[in-house]
């Protein structure tokens, strides 16, 4: 594991106060001090989701999520997966697939639980989001691109 990932874990151990999950989705921009850094990551994430995952087959994406230990859930999105990262720090991926007949691009977002500020700083949260995006893409490539 890369050294900066250890730093995220150490920050988690320092900040975690046991606040229970509140089951309310928030974006990275909604985190404390997230207006600039978090909102920027939200935009970057949306673009990456649209470009990389927006036209992939749903069955393949579900298989990737399962391989990463995610729990698939019903939602208003084509794909909703809760990816475990650290205890009390799940990351939820919602993806709306492209609709070629309507010329609508795909889009997606990563969401945190509303209690996320009790576990990591905005810088650490963005690092977690980056790790999740990287893991999703690498797992897809390993399973379906070769």
């Amino acid at each position: 594991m890369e050294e900066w990932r250890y730093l995220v874990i150490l920050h988690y151990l320092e900040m975690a106060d046991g606040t229970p999950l509140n089951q309310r989705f928030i974006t990275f921009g909604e985190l404390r001090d997230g207006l600039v850094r978090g909102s920027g990551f939200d935009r970057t994430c949306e673009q990456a989701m649209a470009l990389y995952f927006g036209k992939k087959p749903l069955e393949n994406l579900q298989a990737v999520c399962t391989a990463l230990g995610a729990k698939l859930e019903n939602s208003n999105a084509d794909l909703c997966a809760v990816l475990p990262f650290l205890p009390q720090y799940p990351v939820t991926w919602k993806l709306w697939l492209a609709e070629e007949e309507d010329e609508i691009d795909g889009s997606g977002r990563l969401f945190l639980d509303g209690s996320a500020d009790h576990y990591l700083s905005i810088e650490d949260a963005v690092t977690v989001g980056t790790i999740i995006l990287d893991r999703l893409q690498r797992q897809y490539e390993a399973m379906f691109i070769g």
Side-chain angles (χ1 to χ4, degrees), residues 28-39 117 121-123:
F28 288 74
E30 292 176 283
L31 289 168
R32 183 181 19 211
D33 301 325
L35 189 57
V36 175
R37 182 100 162 92
S39 295
D117 278 323
S121 68
I122 182 62
E123 290 82 11

Side-chain angles (χ1 to χ4, degrees), residues 46-90:
E46 276 189 80
Q47 291 171 344
M49 296 284 182
L51 292 173
Y52 190 81
F53 295 108
K55 294 183 179 180
K56 303 282 194 257
L58 179 60
E59 301 78 27
N60 292 4
L61 297 169
Q62 290 171 330
V64 165
C65 291
T66 301
L68 292 174
K71 180 182 174 195
L72 299 175
E73 296 192 347
N74 292 324
S75 83
N76 60 343
D78 294 315
L79 174 73
C80 180
V82 179
L83 298 142
F85 191 80
L86 291 166
Q88 298 296 98
Y89 206 85

Side-chain angles (χ1 to χ4, degrees), residues 110-125:
L110 292 178
F111 294 94
L112 300 171
D113 186 80
S115 65
D117 278 323
H118 293 268
Y119 293 92
L120 290 174
S121 68
I122 182 62
E123 290 82 11
D124 294 321

Side-chain angles (χ1 to χ4, degrees), residues 27 42 45-46 49 92-96 107-111:
T27 63
D42 288 332
C45 185
E46 276 189 80
M49 296 284 182
T92 300
W93 179 27
K94 286 190 169 195
L95 181 70
W96 293 267
S107 68
R109 290 196 105 165
L110 292 178
F111 294 94

